[in-house]
Amino acid sequence: PYVVKGPTSQYHIFLPFHLHDKGFCVVVEAYYDRIDDFRDFCKRGSLDLGLRETALESCIDKVLVITEEEAKRKIEYVRSIIENALVLSCEKGELDLQRQWSRAIMNLLSNIRTSDIRETYRLIIDSIIFLFNVDTAAIFELRDKYFYPEIYEGRQKGTVGALRLNRDDKFVSNAHSHKKAVSILDAHDLWCAGFPKDIVSLYLFPLSVEDRSSCLLGIFNTLLDRVTFEYINKFCRMLSYICEIQRRKDNYERMVESMSVASLKMLNLYSSFSEPEVLFEGIVKEASDLLRAEKCSLMLPDEKREVLSVAAVTGSNMWLMEGIKVRKGEGISGKVYESGIPLFIDREDKTEDYLPFRKPRYRTPYFACIPLKMADEVVGILNLSDKATGEPFSEEDLSMIAPFAHQASLLLKLSFCYRMAEEMRELSITDPLTGLFNRRYFDIRIEEEYTRAKRYGLSFSLAIADIDDFKLFNDTEGHMAGDFILKEIASIMTRSIRANDILVRFGGEEFAIIMPQINKSEAFHVAERVRENVRNQIRSRWKNFPRDRITVSIGIATYPECSDVENLIREADKALYAAKRAGKDVTIFRRELERKGIERINYI
C-alpha cells in the first residue's frame, strides 16, 4: 500500500492488487490522524484558498480521524476484504466462462457421429475458433519429415494452408517429441524460423496419446491468457483420446478389410503349396499389397540353416537378387533370422546401425523385416521397403502383417514338408544308379495297368530285358565299368520307348517295360527298337570282355492272353529265358494259343 499526505493535510491510501495477469488499484477514503491537522488546514485554507474559517470549523464533526496504528489495521482489513472479493469475482467469472466452454465442448464431443477423422478435425477447428476467439487455427499431420496442414480455418487460412512444419525444428520438436504445448510470441523468432511475415504469433498443442505426437493443433496470430492457454491444452489432451480412438477404429476397419482380402488370396495360395515358385511369388505379392510396400522380398534358409538366399521379389528384378546370400547374424535379414524378432526401421539414422550406407535403389530409408516362424523355427524372412505413402512402417502395420505372416509360415512349412515327402517318395521308387524307377514302383504300376485294362477291356504288354553276359563283363572289366554300362543302357532304353511307357530297373542287370494299351505285335516293335539301339549305340571301350558288342535279350507277354499280373510276369520271364536259350540278343513273345508255347523271332 502507498500512503501520501495531500494538500488538505489528509492522508490518502492506494491499495494495489494483482490477479493473474491483471492489475487493480483501489483508492481508500481520505482521513486525518490528528484533529489539530484539520484546524491547521482551516487556518491556512482560509488564507490560501479563500475559504471562511468559520465554515470550515463547522465541519469538525464530519472529519474522519484515524490514528496511525488504527489506520494500519484498517488497511490490512480492507485489503483482505477487497482482495478476496476480487479473487472470488474473477474466479467466478473464469468458472462461468470455463463452464460455458466445457458445456460447448461436451456437446461437441457427444455429437461426433462421423467416422471420418478429417470431419472430426474440422469440428475441432470450428470449436477452437468460436469458443476462444481465435484468429486462425489448423491441425497438422506428420507425413515423413514434415507436419502438413490437414484442416485450417480463419483469416490467415491461405497462408497457413501453404505451411509445412519441419519436425526437427526446435519449436516443433518440443511439441512432437516431448508432447509439450509451446508458444512463440516473438514475430522475429517466427521469421527466423522460416514463417511468413503474416504470422506474428504461434501456439502448438500436441494431439496424441502415443510417445510422439503425429498431430498438432496450431493457433496463429492470437494472444492467449494463461487460463485460456491451460484450458486449450487440457482440451487437446481430451481430444487426443477422441482422435486416437477414431484413428485406431479406422486402422482396425482397414486392417479387417485388408486381412479379409488377404485371407481370400491366401486361400488361393494354399492350393499352390506343391508349386514352390508360384507360392513364393504369391507370398511377396500379397505382403506388398497388404502393407502398400513398393518392394518386397522373401528369403529362405539353406539346408544347414546358416545362409539366407532370395526366393522371390516384387518391385525389383529377380535376376539381380539370385546371387545374394546373407549369413545368419549379418545385416538386417541375418539379425532378424537369428533373433526371430521383427525389426522396423522408422528413422534414417537407425539404418546406419545395420547398413554402412544407404542403398540408392530404395526410395525411402524405412524398412520392415518380418520373420516367418513356426513355433521357434524361423522358416523364412519377409523384407518390405518403400511404402507408397513415403511413411515409415508402424505398429499398425505389424498388427496387419502378423496374421498373414503366420499363414505364410504355415504354407512354407507345408511346402517344405511336401517337397521332402516327394523327395522321399522319389527315393523310395527310384534306382539310385540309373535314375530309373525301381521294383517297388513297378509293382504299383503293373497293378494299376492291370486294373485299368481289366475294367475297360484294354490290352497292355510287359517286356523284361536282360543284359547278355553281364556277369562276365563285370568279372573282366570291373564293377565300375559295369555300373557305367547299366547307366548307358538305361539312357538308351529311355530314348527308345514310347512317351507313356514305364521303364524300371527290375533288378541286377534286368529291366522291365510296362507298355499300356498296346497289343503283342506293337509291343514287339517297341522291344525290337530297344534291342537294336542298345546293340548299335554302345561303343566298344573295353579291353578284356570277349564280345564285340553289349546286347540285351527281351521277353514279352501280353494281357489279356495272360489272365493276371503274376501270370503276366511269369510268361514274360519264360519268354526271356527262351530268348537266352535261343542264342541271346533276341526278342521273343509268348503265344498262348500255340501248342509249342514259344515263337522265336530273331533279328541279328
Side-chain angles (χ1 to χ4, degrees):
Y2 176 65
V3 181
V4 62
K5 195 171 184 177
T8 62
S9 297
Q10 288 177 303
Y11 289 96
H12 304 274
I13 302 173
F14 298 88
L15 298 177
F17 296 94
H18 294 278
L19 187 63
H20 303 318
D21 53 353
K22 297 178 182 178
F24 304 89
C25 186
V26 177
V27 182
V28 182
E29 182 179 359
Y31 69 92
Y32 289 94
D33 64 346
R34 292 184 309 118
I35 194 63
D36 291 340
D37 289 340
F38 177 69
R39 288 192 177 98
D40 291 341
F41 166 69
C42 290
K43 292 178 181 180
R44 288 185 289 103
S46 60
L47 298 175
D48 299 337
L49 302 178
L51 300 175
R52 289 182 300 162
E53 184 176 352
T54 54
L56 292 174
E57 285 289 340
S58 64
C59 298
I60 288 178
D61 296 338
K62 301 178 182 179
V63 171
L64 180 63
V65 180
I66 303 174
T67 65
E68 183 178 354
E69 291 299 324
E70 186 180 2
K72 289 180 179 180
R73 289 195 304 272
K74 289 183 179 294
I75 286 173
E76 289 302 319
Y77 180 69
V78 170
R79 182 179 183 180
S80 174
I81 291 176
I82 294 176
E83 190 172 54
N84 290 334
L86 285 173
V87 169
L88 291 175
S89 177
C90 187
E91 288 183 350
K92 180 178 181 300
E94 290 178 355
L95 290 174
D96 289 342
L97 182 60
Q98 291 182 26
R99 185 170 64 252
Q100 294 174 11
W101 289 346
S102 299
R103 185 185 299 115
I105 289 169
M106 293 307 296
N107 288 336
L108 164 70
L109 297 178
S110 62
N111 286 294
I112 291 179
R113 297 288 185 268
T114 178
S115 60
D116 184 1
I117 188 68
R118 290 177 58 84
E119 188 61 30
T120 301
Y121 289 164
R122 186 170 297 282
L123 291 174
I124 292 172
I125 292 298
D126 290 343
S127 301
I128 291 290
I129 291 177
F130 175 77
L131 292 175
F132 304 110
N133 196 26
V134 169
D135 180 276
T136 306
I139 288 181
F140 295 82
E141 272 196 352
L142 178 63
R143 293 198 298 272
D144 197 7
K145 193 178 178 180
Y146 294 93
F147 283 89
Y148 292 88
E150 290 295 318
I151 301 295
Y152 39 91
E153 288 294 339
R155 290 195 305 163
Q156 298 293 335
K157 69 176 184 178
T159 302
V160 171
L163 289 178
R164 65 174 187 175
L165 309 180
N166 190 328
R167 70 177 184 186
D168 296 328
D169 179 87
K170 64 178 182 178
F171 301 117
V172 180
S173 178
N174 280 331
H176 165 57
S177 300
H178 303 295
K179 294 177 61 177
K180 293 181 179 179
V182 298
S183 58
I184 309 103
L185 306 181
D186 190 325
H188 179 72
D189 289 343
L190 288 169
W191 180 79
C192 292
F195 285 87
K197 64 179 181 179
D198 295 335
I199 304 299
V200 296
S201 68
L202 169 63
Y203 295 88
L204 289 176
F205 298 90
L207 277 174
S208 178
V209 296
E210 301 294 337
D211 292 338
R212 296 186 175 193
S213 299
S214 58
C215 291
L216 298 175
L217 168 65
I219 294 179
F220 300 85
N221 294 4
T222 304
L223 293 179
L224 305 177
D225 58 44
R226 186 181 60 83
V227 174
T228 306
F229 178 86
E230 290 297 333
Y231 197 87
I232 293 177
N233 195 25
K234 293 177 181 178
F235 179 40
C236 288
R237 291 176 188 172
M238 182 168 56
L239 289 173
S240 297
Y241 288 95
I242 301 295
C243 294
E244 188 65 24
I245 289 171
Q246 280 200 323
R247 196 177 293 112
R248 288 178 181 268
K249 181 174 179 291
D250 292 344
N251 290 337
Y252 173 76
E253 291 176 350
R254 187 169 62 251
M255 181 177 69
V256 169
E257 182 180 358
S258 298
M259 285 308 303
S260 298
V261 174
S263 296
L264 291 175
K265 292 181 178 179
M266 287 299 289
L267 287 176
N268 296 331
L269 290 180
Y270 271 92
S271 61
S272 63
F273 72 89
S274 60
E275 303 175 79
E277 300 300 328
V278 177
L279 175 62
F280 300 157
E281 291 176 3
I283 288 175
V284 296
K285 181 180 183 304
E286 299 308 328
S288 60
D289 289 347
L290 187 61
L291 295 192
R292 294 174 294 170
E294 294 178 1
K295 293 182 176 64
C296 179
S297 65
L298 172 66
M299 303 189 77
L300 300 178
D302 61 357
E303 293 182 358
K304 295 181 179 180
R305 308 192 62 78
E306 290 295 329
V307 177
L308 293 169
S309 58
V310 179
V313 298
T314 183
S316 301
N317 291 323
M318 181 60 192
W319 63 270
L320 291 173
M321 304 290 185
E322 287 181 348
I324 294 179
K325 304 289 182 182
V326 177
R327 297 190 65 82
K328 186 176 182 179
E330 294 180 353
I332 298 175
S333 301
K335 291 183 186 301
V336 171
Y337 177 61
E338 184 177 45
S339 66
I341 300 173
L343 175 64
F344 280 63
I345 295 179
D346 55 0
R347 300 193 317 273
E348 187 169 0
D349 57 345
K350 195 174 179 181
T351 311
E352 298 172 358
D353 298 337
Y354 301 93
L355 296 174
F357 54 87
R358 180 176 170 182
K359 297 184 177 180
R361 68 174 179 270
Y362 294 111
R363 183 171 55 83
T364 67
Y366 310 124
F367 197 84
C369 190
I370 312 296
L372 304 179
K373 299 175 65 176
M374 285 294 296
D376 293 332
E377 180 188 1
V378 180
V379 298
I381 297 292
L382 266 179
N383 300 308
L384 298 112
S385 60
D386 290 352
K387 230 180 166 183
T389 59
E391 301 173 349
F393 295 96
S394 62
E395 292 297 326
E396 287 81 5
D397 293 323
L398 179 60
S399 300
M400 291 176 66
I401 199 69
F404 174 86
H406 178 72
Q407 294 186 61
S409 304
L410 179 62
L411 280 173
L412 288 175
K413 189 66 175 179
L414 184 61
S415 177
F416 175 75
C417 291
Y418 177 82
R419 292 199 307 273
M420 289 291 293
E422 285 296 303
E423 289 174 6
M424 294 299 294
R425 177 178 174 273
E426 192 71 21
L427 289 173
S428 69
I429 62 174
T430 303
D431 173 56
L433 177 63
T434 62
L436 300 178
F437 294 116
N438 60 17
R439 178 63 183 267
R440 181 194 298 272
Y441 186 73
F442 170 83
D443 292 337
I444 296 171
R445 289 306 307 269
I446 195 74
E447 287 291 344
E448 290 177 354
E449 291 302 327
Y450 170 73
T451 302
R452 184 183 296 108
K454 185 177 180 181
R455 177 179 298 174
Y456 297 107
L458 304 173
S459 61
F460 78 100
S461 299
L462 171 66
I464 299 178
D466 183 86
I467 304 174
D468 297 326
D469 299 318
F470 187 69
K471 184 177 182 306
L472 178 60
F473 185 89
N474 270 339
D475 292 341
T476 56
E477 299 297 325
H479 288 282
M480 292 187 66
D483 290 345
F484 177 80
I485 291 298
L486 285 171
K487 289 190 283 187
E488 197 164 3
I489 288 177
S491 177
I492 293 170
M493 294 178 74
T494 300
R495 298 194 302 268
S496 302
I497 60 176
R498 303 178 306 161
N500 59 336
D501 292 339
I502 302 151
L503 174 63
V504 302
R505 186 179 179 189
F506 202 60
E509 65 268 24
E510 287 188 340
F511 298 85
I513 308 171
I514 303 172
M515 294 174 275
Q517 301 181 27
I518 194 172
N519 58 35
K520 54 193 173 185
S521 177
E522 294 169 329
F524 173 77
H525 289 295
V526 174
E528 269 299 293
R529 184 166 62 246
V530 169
R531 184 188 66 79
E532 289 182 349
N533 288 344
V534 170
R535 186 176 190 276
N536 297 326
Q537 292 181 19
I538 298 181
R539 299 182 177 228
S540 174
R541 301 184 185 91
W542 47 86
K543 298 177 181 179
N544 301 317
F545 185 54
R547 295 188 58 175
D548 295 334
R549 296 179 182 274
I550 296 293
T551 61
V552 294
S553 297
I554 304 174
I556 303 171
T558 304
Y559 175 87
E561 293 179 2
C562 299
S563 58
D564 54 33
V565 171
E566 291 182 1
N567 192 31
L568 186 70
I569 297 173
R570 186 183 304 112
E571 292 302 321
D573 204 40
K574 287 181 180 180
L576 172 62
Y577 280 107
K580 291 285 188 182
R581 291 195 300 270
K584 302 178 182 179
D585 193 16
V586 175
T587 301
I588 291 182
F589 63 87
R590 190 80 171 169
R591 288 185 183 275
E592 291 295 327
L593 300 180
E594 289 188 2
R595 182 178 299 178
K596 293 182 179 179
I598 296 177
E599 178 181 349
R600 176 174 180 266
I601 302 177
N602 189 357
Y603 292 86
I604 301 177

